[in-house]
Amino acid sequence: MSITYLEKERTFKLDTPNTSYVICIVDKEGFVGHAYYGKKLEEGDVSYLLRIFEGVKTPESCNGERLSFYDRFPQEYPTHGIGDFRESALRVEDKNGAHASKLTYKSHKIFAGKKEIPGLPSTWSAANKGADGKQPWKACYEDVKGGEKGLTVCTAPYGKDADCYTLELRLEDKETGFEVVLSYTVFDDCDAIVRSARVINTGSETLIVRKAMSASLDMDNRNYDKIELLGSWAREREIDRTKVSYGIQGTRSGRGEGGHQEHAFTAVLDHNATQTMGDVYGFDLIYSGNFRNLIERSQFDQLRIMEGINPEDFSWQLLPGEKFYTPEAVLVYSSEGIGGMSRAFHDLYRKHLIRGKYRDKKRPILINNWEATYFNFNTEKLLGIAKEAGKLGIEMFVMDDGWFGKRDDDKSSLGDWFVNEEKIKGGLPYLVDEVNKLGMKFGIWFEPEMISEDSELYRKHPDWAFKVPGRTPSQSRNQYVLDISRPEVADHQYAQIAKILHSANIEYVKWDMNRPLSDVYSQALPKDRQGEVFHRYVMGVYSMQERLVTEFPDLLLENCSGGGARFDAGMLYYSPQIWCSDDADAIERLKIQEGTALIYPLSTMGAHVSACPNHTVGRVTPFETRGRVALAGTFGYELDVTKLTEEEKNMIPEQVKTYHKYNDLVREGDYYRIASTYDDHTFDAYMVTSKDKSEALVTVVLVNKRPNMLSRNIKLQGLAPEKKYRIEEGAPSANGPADRTYLGSTLMNAGIQIEEDWGDYKARLIHVVEA
């Protein structure tokens, strides 16, 4: 059993394959405490870790020091206003305007499978979803206990025909009249725990939820470091590792999306932890809107770690009987260093989050015309690129921004999703048919959430754009944001998209979002509900994308937001890949892709071979290196293939062949980081090992040539120590005869030698196979 309840001890023990998470109920009042999260335990009674037998005890035995108890007790879901002066996970305003609340245990339920979260993306169980992650399992029942109806759970016998198990803890605030259900799911095949909460108004008065985090974790500090992912446009998800200091620290977004600048991920790790050793705790959020991740180090050297919706600019009116659902949070513990944490996230997202036809399928190699033409194109130009690309083995042509309305620059036509037939002569069906005749698929770009002031839609519905009454809203990229929180706006935009997709054989959509939200005010809501708009906006986007992948189940959807501003787990529920960054320079991508792969599978990272000099940084790198770096993602091209040299064109069929040879391994295998340009600006190395450990692909990038230096030694990872291997391709000459064999233990402990090629920015692939 993955979840057990020790009734005598009032203790819950949640087990993944290698970890345990322990919750204890204490005191006659039923306080819910967090006792343990770490390596798997054989027994569950560790309530002494709560320190309730020392110093200030529980209110039952020492009511006169209740405040001191609150301020040090490791709470599972802390509340506001009663004496825990650390950050709270929940703040609810009652009819009097007071924000105080106390949650205590009421009941619990353990069952096989897991529930969906209405309106939000979430991990799923194979027991109640098909292989594509979309087909509901037939055996379900209606949960009517506790007065809740309409939620379905699997009825498979416990421990049979189920790959995950869920604990629901029902807590109550008797005085205010509301309940909170904390949900925890563990999977049989992943070392991850997913958590969420729902707040239920069980009283007779309207409540206002001012803050509702998805997860909170209290633990002792052990001289920990923290890792956050920071950056900017073209520098997304750069790894920032610092010591956890006293007080509150963390990341946030108020942009209506995650943003380029900060990411909804935090890790807490041993000060000496490396890729291969040390305790690491990782936290990610399955959400695409305003978030807040925080770590608080208290006066007693305890840590409180939280993640959830950013409470700034958030409130939610809860009428009697209504419920509010938080997004789902993912918790990972690894005793095998940073790499172990990354592989746990990868496994969970590949097996239990990503859905659809392309989840386990090789993606077509595409070429996108954006950096080739920008807005300056017509049918003839596009077909010229497509014809040359098709000859070289590229499998899909994607038409980017500029095909609709009267759009010849970024100053007009967003919202007018009809074909500009002055540019696309013969219309879209003709262009798509001509591309299909070349043996290529066709894809198209949309930006459904935005509107140009110079557009037919804005002239007809100016009130559909976000605008604070009495103020002139700010533009970015010469555009405003549509109020997608309004169903009529979302319906209108979706209908235009669907009409285009039905008009021709379009097999791919790039969904873009090129500016953050500002001037957020919805004319569809009263003034006392404006705090709901940011969250309703995100749910509107989710609803549109759910409709899209349901109506067009064979469509390959790739999300994008000015590059990687909305690369998050929430979007992966709808699209199996996300454009990683507008910076496609191979050397810059080493850092961007390393930071992204810290959490997300390589199969999700949109990565292309771009033109040189690179359009972002002006760097010139070898065409071969660009291809090998892009191989650690979905792989494609972002350039005008008609302008390449003959030598570069001749490399494309070889790169296509290489992609098809290794993509199954890259997409499905275990990722290991060997060396990083963060540590050594001259060198980068990583590898992917198959699940059965029969093969591995090592990528080595020599960023800067070092004069008069010896070969480098790299130690491989993830192989079977007892198996014999040989280097099937790319064997470095520094290791002697190319046909020799090695034990896995030799390759991992002694390593191999990598001689340095002449010149900068050189990359090589080393394919290791079982002998």
Side-chain angles (χ1 to χ4, degrees), residues 38-78:
K39 284 186 179 180
K40 196 167 189 176
L41 300 177
E42 296 302 318
E43 59 178 329
D45 184 10
V46 290
S47 60
Y48 62 89
L49 296 175
L50 298 172
R51 296 187 172 91
I52 56 175
F53 306 114
E54 59 184 85
V56 177
K57 299 178 176 62
T58 64
E60 183 177 0
S61 59
C62 190
N63 192 48
E65 289 296 340
R66 180 178 287 266
L67 205 65
S68 296
F69 168 77
Y70 286 148
D71 205 27
R72 67 182 68 192
F73 183 65
Q75 302 201 53
E76 194 63 29
Y77 200 71

Side-chain angles (χ1 to χ4, degrees), residues 114 116 122-134 163-164 187 328 350-355 359 573:
K114 74 185 297 286
E116 295 183 343
S122 61
T123 54
W124 49 268
S125 164
N128 57 354
K129 300 257 186 200
D132 62 357
K134 294 187 70 174
D163 59 354
C164 69
F187 293 88
E328 200 164 65
R350 284 184 297 202
K351 295 176 180 178
H352 298 288
L353 180 66
I354 300 170
R355 306 177 296 165
R359 185 188 72 153
Y573 186 73

Side-chain angles (χ1 to χ4, degrees), residues 145-159:
K145 295 180 180 179
E148 289 189 81
K149 297 183 179 181
L151 298 177
T152 57
V153 299
C154 300
T155 59
Y158 195 96

Side-chain angles (χ1 to χ4, degrees), residues 386-400:
K387 288 174 182 176
E388 190 65 32
K391 291 177 187 177
L392 299 173
I394 297 173
E395 300 159 345
M396 178 187 289
F397 178 80
V398 176
M399 179 174 63
D400 210 281

Side-chain angles (χ1 to χ4, degrees), residues 539-606:
M539 291 197 295
V541 174
Y542 287 154
S543 176
M544 290 177 68
Q545 294 205 1
E546 183 65 32
R547 290 172 68 181
L548 184 68
V549 299
T550 300
E551 186 172 351
F552 302 94
D554 294 326
L555 185 76
L556 174 57
L557 175 63
E558 179 167 355
N559 269 290
C560 175
S561 180
R566 200 152 66 177
F567 201 121
D568 60 67
M571 288 288 102
L572 287 180
Y573 186 73
Y574 305 98
S575 63
Q577 62 194 57
I578 303 172
W579 184 230
C580 201
S581 175
D582 280 348
D583 189 346
D585 171 71
I587 304 306
E588 292 296 309
R589 273 299 185 106
L590 294 175
K591 285 187 176 182
I592 295 168
Q593 291 177 189
E594 179 182 351
T596 306
L598 197 66
I599 326 167
Y600 304 111
L602 304 189
S603 63
T604 66
M605 298 194 302

Side-chain angles (χ1 to χ4, degrees), residues 27 31 56 65 83 131 209 372 383 390 412 445 466 470 572 667 679 759:
D27 196 83
F31 298 104
V56 177
E65 289 296 340
V209 179
L383 287 177
S412 78
W445 178 96
F466 279 135
L572 287 180
R667 193 180 68 251
D679 302 322

